[in-house]
Structure formats: C-alpha cells, structure tokens
Amino acid sequence: MAWRAVVLAALVAAFAPGPAPASPAVDYVVHCQGCHLADGSATPGRVPALAGSVGRLAGVAEGRAYLVRVPGAANAPLSDAALAELLNWVVARFDPEGLPPDFALYTGEEVSRLRRPPLADVVSAGRGVVEDLESAAAGATSRDALQ
C-alpha cells in the first residue's frame, strides 16, 4: 500500500507545473516590497517612498547610480539584466510622470557597471542626490526667469 502512495506522489510531481518564470513584478514583491510596501510608499523614518520620486532619480546619472547601488538592489540575487528590468518596472509603475522625456531604460550592461560596490551610507548618498536635483531645478528655474 505504501508503494502506491510513493508512485502517486511521483506522478503528481512529474506532471505538476514548474515554477512560474520570474517577472519584474514578482521580483519587486520578493526583493523590494518588504521595505517599500506594495504601493511604493515609505516606511516612515526608515525607507523613502518610491512612488512620486523614483522617476526623477532615474532621470539623472547620479540618481540612476544611486538606485542601482542601494544595498537592496545591489545585493539582490538577480542577474544584472533582471535587476535592470526590475528598475525599469519600478520607475514605470511608481513614478512615470517624474521621468524626463529623454529617459533611457536601464540595461544589464549599465547595472553591471554601476552595481558594485553597494552604498555603505545610503542616507547620505540619497541626500546628496536629492540636493543635486534640487540645485539643478533651482538653476533651471532661475535660467527660465531670466529668458
């Protein structure tokens, strides 16, 4: 009788569907959502929101590098190409309005170049990127007023 159970289990295992292929949405749930939550919002006092801000970051060189090098991204057990797909999905999902018109999608090659070393001081690095963005915006506003 026990052999029948073994045979039945083997048959079920043989015909069971394999794991679903990974997708950026699944990778977000597995590697990002624990801190950034399902809607890309902040974990107050700990993790900044992606929603409404990540597009501006991904639109400038310093911000692109920052997003690749935050430890959760840099250390994720994803290939460079899969991390590039995940970052592109995050930007499109949580801040498409913040993207500049000339936004270029992340590539596996870019991620490979930027990924190491992960940031040691995420907070300071993030502040620096935000300050640079604000300075650039203030400069653009000043230039626009002069024209």
Side-chain angles (χ1 to χ4, degrees):
M1 207 53 150
W3 66 272
R4 286 185 185 171
V6 171
V7 170
L8 181 59
L11 286 172
V12 168
F15 291 103
S23 72
V26 170
D27 287 338
Y28 180 81
V29 170
V30 173
H31 302 292
C32 310
Q33 184 172 308
C35 295
H36 290 286
L37 309 179
D39 63 356
S41 60
T43 302
R46 294 190 39 202
V47 179
L50 297 172
S53 65
V54 73
R56 282 189 347 153
L57 291 174
V60 297
E62 305 84 21
R64 292 176 73 86
Y66 173 81
L67 292 172
V68 172
R69 292 184 61 213
V70 294
N75 294 325
L78 298 171
S79 69
D80 294 334
L83 181 55
E85 287 182 38
L86 172 58
L87 291 167
N88 291 326
W89 182 88
V90 165
V91 169
R93 169 76 173 85
F94 295 117
D95 193 22
E97 298 83 17
L99 291 173
D102 61 346
F103 173 73
L105 294 173
Y106 280 97
T107 65
E109 180 182 300
E110 179 184 19
V111 168
S112 177
R113 187 171 22 83
L114 297 175
R115 196 170 192 175
R116 300 285 180 240
L119 292 171
D121 187 349
V122 177
V123 174
S124 292
R127 281 189 190 128
V129 172
V130 169
E131 288 170 4
D132 289 348
L133 283 170
E134 289 172 350
S135 293
T141 302
S142 297
R143 283 192 302 276
D144 292 344
L146 294 174
Q147 293 180 358

